């Protein structure tokens, strides 16, 4: 695969010849993750299938088509891959199907326009590995996502699936399993980073039965879709992890709590559970042992706070999802007052790998205190948006600029938000921060579940803070006063600032309320709610002051405080802004300087984005 | 509890359908949310008689059922439109101008998030991240996802549902069923 520039690269002959063994046969992987689904990928899969059948008679290879979970680079979807040749095509449309079958599959020719163009060399690249979006990635939790057909348990088994379970129940005692997980250093991927081995050990130490294991698939952080992708792309790894966990702590029943909006995840997991039952991985006497375990799905009701562990358990019990004070921990008294282990989807998906490779091997990756990898959804104003899995300790800069390809439209990086509504905004000065649990917390943010939202100079940090606080105001369950009242007051103050009624004393007031909440709120929602506010004040105080003192929003987002102007020196009269203005506020004839009528302008910002010469300025 | 007075206004249809849904579940409190979700799916809202029937079935006070129906956002006490348009206002979509889509929908349908058109065809909801942030801004109509939506695209999309019959034929929708 040396020079992908030539359009006639021959595929590896070895795979072409016999093709009797399944893995020697060529497979076309069609991404059917959330992003590609919305871009018609199932229709592409269907068309490919029928074209291949049509052509089938005189072709030696009979490629299998698999509909997979997210391949990662959703921005460039729909994505398809041809394996084992390892060719990745991006932005495939129905019109390309014929060429893919006739050229690539039949005669081994690559279609250059569907390849990725390397940002560094400007040349097209053939494989995923050569695409700089994938090169630095290390896949553990996502090891099968995009590789296997999530609806076929056999595909999972062919990739080594349920091997860890076999090893566990046949060769290991529960204590040894826990020890292995402990040794791996695995910390919970749902947000707080609690050591998983320790959690299991505590739960195992209580004698009462029944015990339960729970998977938290509520994924409420806005801007995050890692857990969704795992549940839809590789459901069995979560199930296998849970069975192993249940074996380790002595539970016979488990629940997967899935967010209400994730209809496809519910369906995929439901099918997977059925298949696992048929094969004897779930049910009575698993793999001939004396251990029995079964799983059921609980569909969330659309409340963010239900992602909090105690609220989630209340919700499973059929109650209102309000958190409770954690004087007694769930490992002792959780679901229905019984010992319970609750872990996040990604945490569970890591378990089979730890048992297969051993904890020592696992901790080779990542940093000393944050071992392994973390999956992020890299979104916002970044070029390559999608799903990435990287070793812990990677620098933010590498994530955003190497993998993410930098900022969209050549604009300027301003901040990156991690940790969802409980996290904070990290500024440019800290771009060399390693991404691990402790460094992010130190910076005032947190790892959270893995949403990573990149913001550019067109994002207003006060608006961002207001956005999160408003979000939390809607989602606070209202059980405790510091959270219920504190968040609302913060929302009011922030709204005042955004609309030009802010006062300088507001900043101290915001910080003050925040401190009280952090101390006195009952659950994590209220305790961490001040983070988006305090980090933006800490790192972007000037922007707050511009709103308050100058009544100006430098990013041009807060409408009351924004005026757009066209810089006559830069405007070449191309008319792009005029075309995109929804209120016809821009006038000017071609090649003449354009002007904005402030009376008509609704400050939508379209013109800023459409002007190729950056001539539209915020006053 | 004013259970008996409520009963006089029960719609026989709703009672029958609710009854059938409840039969599918054991008499345990843990199934309350699932029952309510089935009912929501059936009627596009939670009728009072259904809550009363659940309360009877599970021998729980009606107030408990009511508090669930009002706590969870997936449930609503008022009927929603035939097509539910969800505008994602998760962070990724928010900073890629989801608000513009809400404005455009107001121009098109004359309703704001939380409202239903007079003919009962559409209602709009602002929701949190729909898990497709990479193609922000995202809207979902019924179960079909649309990504990178612009105001102009929105018009086209809505037009597909405009004549009110049936489903759009986009395959994205089929895969979600
Ligand atoms: C308000 C709030 C929302 C949360 N939402 C989620 C969530 O959506 N998914 C998740 O896995 N954990 C969430 N958590 C964290 C859980 O409470 C819990 O710590 C985690 O699921 C434990 O699993 P882990 O140890 O594997 O991370 C949330 C916490 C709080 C306070
Ligand atoms: S902190 Fe907020 S969400 Fe948590 S229990 Fe208190 S009111 Fe409810
Ligand atoms: S901000 Fe929007 S309304 Fe104002 S001139 Fe630009 S495009 Fe027109
Ligand atoms: S959904 Fe296809 S690459 Fe993510
Ligand atoms: S923020 Fe809109 S899909 Fe995630």
């Amino acid at each position: 695969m040396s020079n992908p520039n030539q359009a006639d690269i021959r595929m590896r002959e070895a795979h072409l010849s016999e093709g009797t063994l399944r893995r020697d046969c060529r497979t076309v992987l069609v991404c059917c993750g959330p992003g590609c689904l919305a871009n018609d990928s199932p229709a592409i899969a269907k068309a490919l299938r029928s074209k291949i059948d049509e052509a089938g008679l005189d072709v030696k290879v009979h490629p299998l088509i698999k509909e997979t979970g997210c391949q990662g680079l959703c921005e460039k979807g729909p994505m398809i891959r041809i394996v084992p040749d390892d060719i990745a095509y991006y932005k495939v449309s129905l019109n390309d199907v014929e060429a893919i079958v006739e050229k690539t599959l039949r005669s081994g020719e690559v279609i250059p326009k569907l390849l990725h163009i390397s940002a560094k060399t400007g040349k097209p690249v053939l494989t995923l590995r050569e695409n700089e979006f994938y090169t630095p990635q290390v896949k553990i939790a996502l090891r099968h996502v995009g590789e296997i057909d999530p609806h076929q348990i056999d595909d999972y088994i062919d990739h080594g699936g349920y091997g860890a379970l076999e090893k566990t129940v046949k060769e290991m005692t529960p204590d040894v399993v826990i020890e292995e997980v402990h040794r791996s250093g695995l910390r919970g991927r749902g947000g707080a980073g609690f050591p998983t081995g320790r959690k299991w050990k505590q739960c195992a130490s209580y004698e009462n039965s029944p015990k339960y294991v729970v998977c938290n698939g509520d994924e409420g952080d806005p801007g995050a879709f890692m857990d969704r992708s795992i549940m839809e792309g590789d459901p069995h790894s979560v199930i296998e992890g849970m069975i192993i966990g249940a074996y380790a702590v002595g539970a016979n029943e488990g629940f997967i709590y899935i967010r209400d909006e994730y209809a496809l995840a519910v369906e995929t997991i439901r099918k997977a559970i059925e298949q696992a039952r048929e094969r004897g991985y779930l049910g009575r006497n698993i793999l001939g042992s004396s251990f029995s375990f079964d799983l059921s799905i609980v569909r969330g009701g659309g409340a963010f706070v239900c992602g909090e562990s105690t609220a989630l358990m209340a919700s499973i019990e059929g109650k209102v999802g309000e958190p409770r004070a954690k004087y007694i921990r769930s490992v002792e008294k959780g679901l229905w007052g019984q010992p319970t282990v609750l872990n996040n989807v990604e945490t569970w998906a890591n378990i089979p790998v730890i048992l297969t490779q051993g904890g020592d091997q696992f901790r080779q990756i990542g940093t000393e205190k944050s071992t392994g990898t973390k999956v992020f959804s890299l979104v916002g104003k970044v070029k390559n948006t999608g799903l990435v899995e990287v070793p812990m300790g990677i620098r933010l800069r590498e994530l955003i600029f190497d993998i993410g390809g930098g900022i969209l439209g050549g604009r300027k990086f301003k901040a990156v938000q991690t940790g969802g509504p409980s996290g904070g905004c990290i500024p440019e000065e800290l771009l060399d921060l390693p991404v691990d649990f402790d460094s992010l917390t130190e910076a005032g943010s947190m790892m959270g579940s893995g949403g990573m939202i990149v913001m550019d100079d067109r994002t207003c940090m006060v608006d961002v803070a207001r956005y999160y606080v408003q979000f939390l105001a809607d989602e606070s369950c209202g059980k405790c006063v510091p959270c219920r009242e504190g968040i609302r007051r913060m929302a009011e103050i922030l709204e005042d600032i955004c609309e030009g009624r802010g006062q300088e004393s507001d900043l101290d007031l915001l910080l003050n309320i925040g401190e009280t909440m952090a101390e006195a709120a009952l659950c994590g929602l209220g305790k961490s709610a001040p983070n988006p506010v305090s980090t933006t004040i800490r790192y972007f105080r000037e922007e707050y002051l511009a709103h308050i003192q100058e009544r100006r929003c430098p990013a041009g987002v807060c409408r009351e405080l924004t005026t757009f102007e066209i810089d006559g020196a830069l405007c070449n009269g191309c008319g792009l802004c005029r075309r995109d203005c929804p209120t016809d506020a821009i006038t000017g004839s071609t090649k003449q300087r354009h002007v904005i009528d402030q009376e008509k302008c609704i400050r939508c910002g379209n013109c800023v984005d459409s002007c190729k010469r950056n001539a539209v300025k915020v006053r | 509890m004013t259970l008996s007075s409520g009963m006089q206004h029960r719609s026989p249809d709703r009672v029958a359908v609710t009854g059938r849904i409840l039969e599918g579940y054991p008499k345990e409190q843990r199934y309350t949310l699932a029952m309510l979700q089935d009912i929501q799916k059936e009627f596009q809202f939670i009728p009072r008689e259904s809550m009363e029937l659940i309360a009877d079935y599970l021998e729980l006070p009606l107030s408990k059922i009511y508090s669930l129906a009002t706590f969870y956002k997936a449930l609503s006490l008022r009927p929603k439109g035939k097509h539910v348009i969800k505008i994602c206002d998760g962070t990724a979509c928010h900073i890629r101008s989801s608000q513009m889509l809400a404005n455009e929908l107001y121009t098109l349908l004359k309703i704001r998030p939380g409202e239903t058109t007079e003919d009962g065809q559409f209602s709009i909801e602002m929701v949190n991240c729909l898990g497709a942030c990479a193609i922000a801004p995202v809207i979902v109509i019924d179960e079909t996802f649309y990504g990178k939506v612009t105001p102009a695209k929105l018009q086209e999309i809505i037009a597909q549902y405009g004549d009110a019959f049936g489903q759009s034929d986009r395959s994205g929708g089929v895969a979600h069923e």
Side-chain angles (χ1 to χ4, degrees):
Chain A
M1 302 283 105
S2 48
N3 188 356
N5 264 333
Q6 291 164 307
D8 64 342
I9 307 162
R10 294 278 138 191
M11 294 185 174
R12 288 175 200 147
E13 293 299 327
H15 296 295
L16 276 173
S17 43
E18 285 96 331
T20 37
L21 275 175
R22 248 223 299 199
R23 60 173 52 90
D24 282 348
C25 175
R26 207 181 276 153
T27 306
V28 183
L29 307 170
V30 180
C31 179
C32 288
C36 295
L37 268 182
N39 281 320
D40 261 359
S41 63
I44 294 173
K46 205 164 137 203
L48 271 166
R49 213 170 269 136
S50 62
K51 270 272 173 290
I52 288 168
D53 281 347
E54 262 173 47
L57 297 167
D58 50 329
V59 203
K60 273 195 219 128
V61 249
H62 227 286
L64 232 84
I65 303 243
K66 291 204 280 197
E67 292 174 14
T68 70
C70 176
Q71 304 265 356
L73 191 47
C74 319
E75 171 76 24
K76 301 256 157 59
M79 275 185 71
I80 75 166
R81 279 168 59 210
I82 299 164
V83 289
D85 315 272
D86 203 6
I87 297 174
Y89 285 156
Y90 307 82
K91 294 208 171 169
V92 175
S93 79
L94 272 175
N95 302 334
D96 300 318
V97 168
E98 173 127 26
I100 294 173
V101 174
E102 289 305 323
K103 288 199 175 144
T104 311
L105 294 179
R106 197 199 282 269
S107 32
E109 257 177 63
V110 170
I111 305 164
K113 74 163 185 159
L114 297 178
L115 293 175
H116 172 77
I117 308 288
S118 158
K120 284 212 179 89
T121 62
K123 292 191 177 147
V125 296
L126 204 58
T127 66
L128 273 196
R129 277 283 141 219
E130 294 165 272
N131 179 339
E132 50 286 276
F133 178 78
Y134 292 98
T135 317
Q137 294 196 43
V138 175
K139 304 233 174 176
I140 296 179
L142 296 180
R143 61 199 177 278
H144 298 134
V145 179
E147 301 289 332
I148 66 169
D149 182 339
H151 305 293
Q152 307 289 341
I153 191 171
D154 282 324
D155 208 6
Y156 181 68
I157 295 170
D158 282 351
H159 284 75
Y162 289 109
L165 177 65
E166 253 194 271
K167 180 171 163 192
T168 308
V169 296
K170 293 191 173 151
E171 299 167 19
M172 299 165 87
T173 63
D175 285 347
V176 174
V177 176
I178 293 177
E179 185 47 39
E180 209 56 58
V181 173
H182 184 71
R183 208 198 331 263
S184 74
L186 178 69
R187 294 170 68 174
R189 304 304 197 228
F194 191 85
T196 307
R198 197 182 328 153
K199 195 186 269 184
W200 290 18
K201 197 178 231 160
Q202 287 166 349
C203 184
S205 73
Y206 295 103
E207 300 279 311
N208 359 4
S209 76
K211 292 180 186 175
Y212 301 102
V213 292
V214 178
C215 171
N216 188 345
D218 201 39
E219 193 159 64
D221 287 3
F225 58 100
M226 305 77 46
D227 295 347
R228 170 180 177 168
S229 299
I230 296 176
M231 288 188 283
E232 288 177 5
D234 187 20
H236 288 287
S237 70
V238 180
I239 295 172
E240 184 176 5
M242 291 184 76
I243 307 172
I244 295 170
Y247 175 79
V249 303
N252 301 111
E253 199 178 353
F255 298 89
I256 305 187
Y257 189 93
I258 306 178
R259 189 170 165 217
D260 177 53
E261 276 85 356
Y262 291 178
L264 189 59
V266 171
E267 231 4 78
T268 313
I269 298 261
R270 194 190 306 281
K271 263 192 222 158
I273 291 178
E274 267 167 34
Q275 293 177 349
R277 264 193 213 122
E278 278 164 24
R279 300 301 174 90
Y281 297 122
L282 281 173
R284 288 189 175 282
N285 302 102
I286 291 171
L287 298 172
S289 70
S290 60
F291 164 60
S292 303
F293 175 71
D294 214 338
L295 264 177
S296 25
I297 296 177
V298 177
R299 223 181 142 156
F304 174 73
V305 73
C306 285
E308 196 275 341
S309 53
T310 58
L312 187 144
M313 291 183 207
S315 185
I316 294 181
E317 292 173 11
K319 299 179 183 154
V320 166
E322 283 173 0
R324 62 164 177 79
K326 294 187 190 160
Y327 309 117
I328 306 171
R329 284 163 313 162
S330 313
V331 283
E332 183 181 353
K333 287 196 161 107
L335 257 186
W336 292 292
Q338 296 300 121
T340 304
V341 160
L342 178 142
N343 278 123
N344 161 267
V345 171
E346 191 183 331
T347 315
W348 287 118
N350 270 295
I351 297 295
V353 179
I354 293 174
L355 273 300
T356 313
Q357 302 183 342
D360 285 328
Q361 183 70 29
F362 184 86
R363 64 174 319 133
Q364 299 297 311
I365 301 166
T367 67
E368 196 195 332
K369 293 213 174 114
S370 302
T371 58
T373 56
K374 178 77 194 86
V375 182
F376 290 99
S377 60
L378 188 61
V379 296
K381 305 283 185 74
V382 63
K383 268 195 203 127
N384 302 329
T385 52
L387 199 65
V388 303
E389 180 168 1
V390 289
M392 296 267 192
I394 190 173
R395 312 272 148 181
L396 278 170
R397 187 184 301 281
E398 214 177 319
L399 242 174
I400 297 165
F401 288 89
D402 296 350
I403 297 178
I407 307 301
L408 212 57
R411 300 199 74 95
K412 196 170 156 1
F413 172 87
K414 183 162 180 183
V416 55
Q417 209 280 350
T418 65
S422 314
C425 294
I426 300 170
E428 191 170 10
E429 307 90 271
L430 297 181
L431 269 179
D432 287 311
L433 201 71
V435 179
D436 62 58
F437 288 105
D438 310 306
S439 307
L440 288 176
T441 308
E442 231 167 79
S445 181
M446 62 187 260
M447 178 76 86
S449 55
M452 185 159 283
I453 298 133
V454 179
M455 300 171 176
D456 66 4
D457 56 355
R458 282 277 289 134
T459 317
C460 167
M461 302 318 284
V462 188
D463 177 67
V464 167
R466 189 189 56 98
Y467 166 81
Y468 280 113
V469 169
Q470 191 55 52
F471 171 90
L472 292 168
D474 290 342
E475 297 293 345
S476 162
C477 79
K479 183 171 175 171
C480 70
V481 179
C483 170
R484 187 181 65 218
E485 296 307 319
I487 296 186
R488 285 204 201 144
R489 298 292 87 81
M490 288 213 281
E492 285 165 8
I493 298 170
L494 287 165
E495 192 162 318
D496 278 350
I497 300 180
C498 287
E499 293 178 359
R501 296 182 299 270
Q503 297 163 18
E504 247 163 274
S505 56
D506 284 348
L507 296 187
D508 284 340
L509 188 56
L510 281 171
L511 292 173
N512 215 324
I513 298 175
E515 276 162 29
T516 311
M517 285 172 60
E519 222 156 89
L522 181 63
C523 86
L525 189 150
K527 278 184 196 303
S528 60
N531 286 353
V533 182
S534 56
T535 49
T536 46
I537 296 183
R538 176 162 153 197
Y539 299 122
F540 300 95
R541 183 177 275 268
E542 250 129 70
E543 194 162 349
Y544 276 88
L545 292 178
H547 284 72
I548 295 170
Q549 296 168 339
E550 304 164 33
R551 304 277 186 246
R552 193 172 71 84
C553 172
V557 172
C558 301
R559 291 190 179 192
E560 279 77 1
L561 306 183
T562 294
T563 313
F564 291 113
E565 274 175 345
I566 298 177
D567 182 337
L570 289 172
C571 173
N572 68 355
C574 71
L576 283 177
C577 61
R578 179 160 38 96
R579 196 198 57 196
D580 288 346
C581 174
T583 60
D584 295 325
I586 304 182
T587 49
S589 33
T590 312
K591 296 201 178 143
Q592 300 294 312
R593 181 188 166 178
H594 282 48
V595 206
I596 299 177
D597 177 349
Q598 300 299 342
E599 295 285 297
K600 283 192 186 163
C601 173
I602 55 167
R603 290 158 193 107
C604 67
N606 276 4
C607 50
V608 182
D609 298 325
S610 45
C611 180
K612 299 260 183 295
R613 296 173 58 84
N614 252 329
V616 185
K617 302 284 184 205
V618 181
R619 189 187 284 162
Chain B
M1 194 108 305
T2 53
L3 265 183
S4 50
S5 64
M7 286 203 217
Q8 291 158 6
H9 309 289
R10 283 182 173 184
S11 125
D13 268 6
R14 285 181 191 155
V15 171
V17 173
T18 307
R20 240 174 290 134
I21 290 175
L22 300 195
E23 273 167 29
Y25 291 98
K27 288 193 181 193
E28 290 175 43
Q29 184 177 3
R30 63 195 258 195
Y31 300 110
T32 327
L33 179 55
M35 292 170 181
L36 285 166
Q37 280 170 323
D38 287 358
I39 289 163
Q40 173 80 35
K41 195 160 182 202
E42 186 65 40
F43 304 117
Q44 267 109 44
F45 79 114
I46 310 286
R48 182 184 170 97
E49 44 270 71
S50 302
M51 287 192 276
E52 289 169 354
L53 287 167
I54 297 180
D56 289 348
Y57 186 71
L58 298 176
E59 295 174 29
L60 287 169
L62 181 58
S63 61
K64 278 255 186 301
I65 313 301
Y66 182 79
S67 67
L68 248 69
T70 51
F71 180 83
Y72 290 107
K73 291 221 176 78
L75 311 173
S76 83
L77 296 181
R78 260 188 278 150
K80 291 185 184 174
K82 185 159 168 248
H83 301 295
V84 178
I85 307 173
K86 295 183 179 170
I87 308 175
C88 180
D89 196 27
T91 326
C93 291
H94 182 78
I95 67 172
R96 286 197 185 174
S97 307
S98 53
Q99 196 54 48
M100 290 278 295
L101 301 181
N103 296 344
E104 181 67 20
L105 277 177
Y106 180 72
T107 321
L108 291 173
L109 300 173
K110 299 281 168 290
I111 50 168
R112 297 198 188 278
E115 296 173 354
T116 304
T117 51
E118 260 170 37
D119 60 4
Q121 285 297 317
F122 293 101
S123 42
I124 306 180
E125 292 171 10
M126 279 306 231
V127 299
N128 297 325
C129 180
L130 291 161
C133 331
I135 50 167
V138 175
I139 67 165
V140 172
I141 304 185
D142 305 329
E143 308 246 293
T144 307
F145 277 71
Y146 300 91
K148 297 194 180 168
V149 181
T150 59
K153 244 168 122 184
L154 197 54
Q155 273 189 20
E156 274 169 43
I157 295 169
I158 297 297
Q160 295 176 29
Y161 295 81
D163 49 17
F165 332 99
Q167 293 283 315
S168 89
D169 55 2
R170 284 178 54 101
S171 43
V174 178
H176 276 269
E177 276 164 15

